[in-house]
Amino acid sequence: PAKIKIFMWLMVNNAIWTKDNLLKRKWKGNPECYFYNCPESIPHLFFQCSVAKSVWAVTAMCFGAKTIPRNLEQCWKWCEKWLPFGRKYHMCGIAAICWQSGKHETKHCFEKVIIKNTIEIIYHVCALMKYWAVLYSEADKKQLEDGVNTMLQIANRILKRQKKDADKTRLL
């Protein structure tokens, strides 16, 4: 969708209104991230914040990556390294992850909504990617949907493990 393309263009051009960019426009607010005690910037918000790291870590598990990206430039190289045959899906995946991470931050900032588990962001990412899959040819659509289903399976396994660990903790 056009709004996602514009969002990605703004991100590539360091023009998203993160707190560091607002400060450049004489904004007088707190420059720190809501979740982490450091200045909010595009790399921080979408890749380095604990929430973003968690989302990228789940994504990394989906295709066996041993690292996670720390900024957008590194993200393209990271996708190329860990998903070399999926080049046509890189933009879809990166856009979905960054868009949903940004929406989460915005909801927290303006509506004081706190996400209970970052797996929720993964579910939203998967929903977006499934929705966008219709834009691909039938074979590519199937491959993208298979990737999304893998991501959902891993997210569900992580969520079950977290619940099991929480139950054990309550018993102690």
Side-chain angles (χ1 to χ4, degrees):
K3 68 182 177 183
I4 308 293
K5 288 178 184 176
I6 292 167
F7 167 78
M8 290 304 292
W9 182 87
L10 290 168
M11 195 170 163
V12 166
N13 288 287
N14 195 32
I16 291 178
W17 284 30
T18 50
K19 292 180 178 184
D20 66 331
N21 284 333
L22 290 170
L23 287 172
K24 293 173 191 172
R25 292 172 171 83
K26 310 295 186 234
W27 177 67
K28 301 283 186 224
N30 180 355
E32 291 185 349
C33 171
Y34 290 106
F35 306 106
Y36 201 63
N37 192 23
C38 73
E40 182 187 273
S41 63
I42 290 173
H44 174 77
L45 180 63
F46 296 103
F47 298 96
Q48 298 165 8
C49 180
S50 56
V51 173
K53 281 182 180 179
S54 178
V55 172
W56 285 108
V58 172
T59 305
M61 288 175 70
C62 293
F63 39 88
K66 306 278 188 254
T67 61
I68 59 172
R70 296 194 41 78
N71 57 52
L72 187 58
E73 183 180 321
Q74 191 181 76
C75 188
W76 299 114
K77 294 173 186 169
W78 182 80
C79 285
E80 191 64 38
K81 176 180 180 177
W82 295 105
L83 197 61
F85 301 111
R87 181 176 281 143
K88 60 184 115 189
Y89 311 116
H90 292 177
M91 176 58 86
C92 179
I94 293 169
I97 291 168
C98 292
W99 178 259
Q100 288 302 330
S101 295
K103 280 184 72 173
H104 164 64
E105 176 73 12
T106 300
K107 278 188 168 206
H108 180 74
C109 175
F110 295 108
E111 300 171 26
K112 304 300 182 220
V113 173
I114 298 175
I115 198 164
K116 292 182 176 94
N117 192 320
T118 54
I119 294 296
E120 289 178 46
I121 295 174
I122 296 294
Y123 290 148
H124 291 286
V125 166
C126 290
L128 263 183
M129 291 176 67
K130 272 192 175 185
Y131 181 71
W132 294 340
V134 298
L135 302 172
Y136 290 86
S137 70
E138 203 55 43
D140 291 341
K141 176 183 172 186
K142 170 87 171 88
Q143 193 174 17
L144 181 58
E145 287 175 341
D146 288 348
V148 168
N149 289 334
T150 299
M151 199 168 182
L152 284 170
Q153 289 171 357
I154 289 170
N156 286 332
R157 266 188 291 183
I158 292 169
L159 193 59
K160 282 181 187 176
R161 192 173 333 132
Q162 289 172 344
K163 285 180 181 181
K164 193 182 289 186
D165 290 347
D167 289 344
K168 284 181 185 176
T169 304
R170 273 189 238 130
L171 293 174
L172 299 175

